[in-house]
Amino acid sequence: DTGVSQDPRHKITKRGQNVTFRCDPISEHNRLYWYRQTLGQGPEFLTYFQNEAQLEKSRLLSDRFSAERPKGSFSTLEIQRTEQGDSAMYLCASSLTGSDYGYTFGSGTRLTVV
Amino acid sequence: DQQVKQNSPSLSVQEGRISILNCDYTNSMFDYFLWYKKYPAEGPTFLISISSIKDKNEDGRFTVFLNKSAKHLSLHIVPSQPGDSAVYFCAASARLVSNDYKLSFGAGTTVTVRA
């Protein structure tokens, strides 16, 4: 198992464009999380899935953001009509319910909106 | 609202000495606490955790102490090694009672270990 994979690693986009990120969790992990991290801050929770069900969304997640996890496997995070304030590192993590070892994070997708 | 606070943005320590990182939280529902380590261009990696039923957990060179009455936890690294130079995040969740696995993170402390 190669851990949590995120694609792309970097994305530069023009304001107003749509972007989509992909996350492939560790295969046996049933929970998948998206976090956003800006410079000088810790990761902030965006949303999480248990299997294919999206169980919680942060109020940080505006209507321009949507996440899916079809069939409980990989997940996508889409941002529509990007704004400069969306520039951040988007981190995906997965875990197994009941595990004491916290999440396993991917390396993240760095989004720059110009 | 910042529910987890790491008030020291940076810490410099000599190799072989103890590193002490501090973290305070405000949400009394938090019952599970974790420390993550992050190198540049990588995601955070899990280091050590502690549940609210304990006041200490040790794993090799890393020990986490929890003071529930003060809503304070600390991470001790003894002895500090050059490879410990990284950003350390404190995180908390309400997983035990509320089954809430999402984490609230502090802003991080950058540790530099000097040779």
Side-chain angles (χ1 to χ4, degrees), chain A residues 65-110:
Chain A
F65 289 70
S66 63
E68 294 182 343
R69 192 185 183 195
K71 302 179 183 177
S73 55
F74 71 93
S75 176
T76 58
L77 177 68
E78 181 183 15
I79 309 174
Q80 296 182 328
R81 305 181 303 282
T82 52
E83 302 172 356
Q84 286 189 321
D86 298 330
S87 296
M89 175 73 82
Y90 289 84
L91 292 163
C92 176
S94 68
S95 72
L96 193 59
T97 305
S99 168
D100 283 335
Y101 296 102
Y103 302 165
T104 301
F105 278 92
S107 297
T109 293
R110 179 163 296 285

Side-chain angles (χ1 to χ4, degrees), chain A residues 9 31 33 35 37 40-43 45 48 56 59 91 95 97-103 105-107, chain B residues 1-2 32 34 36 38 41-46 49 89 95 99-108:
Chain A
R9 289 295 304 273
R31 290 182 177 235
Y33 310 82
Y35 281 76
Q37 185 179 13
Q41 299 298 316
F45 170 77
Y48 89 91
E56 189 171 346
R59 54 187 163 82
L91 292 163
S95 72
T97 305
S99 168
D100 283 335
Y101 296 102
Y103 302 165
F105 278 92
S107 297
Chain B
D1 59 336
Q2 194 77 5
Y32 196 76
L34 308 93
Y36 282 82
K38 185 181 183 305
E42 295 182 11
T45 55
F46 171 75
S49 64
F89 292 101
R95 63 180 275 186
N99 200 31
D100 185 353
Y101 279 69
K102 68 177 182 288
L103 296 179
S104 295
F105 283 85

Side-chain angles (χ1 to χ4, degrees), chain A:
Chain A
D1 197 327
T2 56
V4 178
S5 299
Q6 291 190 245
D7 183 68
R9 289 295 304 273
H10 303 274
K11 178 71 177 178
I12 300 174
T13 191
K14 291 184 178 179
R15 190 174 53 184
Q17 297 293 305
N18 299 343
V19 294
T20 300
F21 310 140
R22 178 181 169 119
C23 172
D24 287 274
I26 293 175
S27 56
E28 61 266 29
H29 285 184
N30 59 336
R31 290 182 177 235
L32 185 147
Y33 310 82
W34 286 98
Y35 281 76
R36 180 172 69 188
Q37 185 179 13
T38 52
L39 198 61
Q41 299 298 316
E44 294 177 296
F45 170 77
L46 293 179
T47 188
Y48 89 91
F49 294 82
Q50 179 156 307
N51 300 313
E52 66 274 10
Q54 187 174 18
L55 296 187
E56 189 171 346
K57 293 195 297 185
S58 165
R59 54 187 163 82
L60 291 176
L61 214 64
S62 76
D63 291 345
R64 296 184 297 106
F65 289 70
S66 63
E68 294 182 343
R69 192 185 183 195
K71 302 179 183 177
S73 55
F74 71 93
S75 176
T76 58
L77 177 68
E78 181 183 15
I79 309 174
Q80 296 182 328
R81 305 181 303 282
T82 52
E83 302 172 356
Q84 286 189 321
D86 298 330
S87 296
M89 175 73 82
Y90 289 84
L91 292 163
C92 176
S94 68
S95 72
L96 193 59
T97 305
S99 168
D100 283 335
Y101 296 102
Y103 302 165
T104 301
F105 278 92
S107 297
T109 293
R110 179 163 296 285
L111 173 66
T112 303
V113 182
V114 297

Side-chain angles (χ1 to χ4, degrees), chain B residues 25-28 30-33 50-56 65-73:
Chain B
Y25 62 96
T26 57
N27 188 339
S28 57
F30 288 152
D31 53 23
Y32 196 76
F33 305 89
I50 188 168
S51 73
S52 58
I53 60 174
K54 296 183 177 180
D55 53 19
K56 176 183 175 181
F65 296 92
L66 175 62
N67 182 334
K68 289 187 293 294
S69 61
K71 293 190 176 67
H72 176 84
L73 61 156

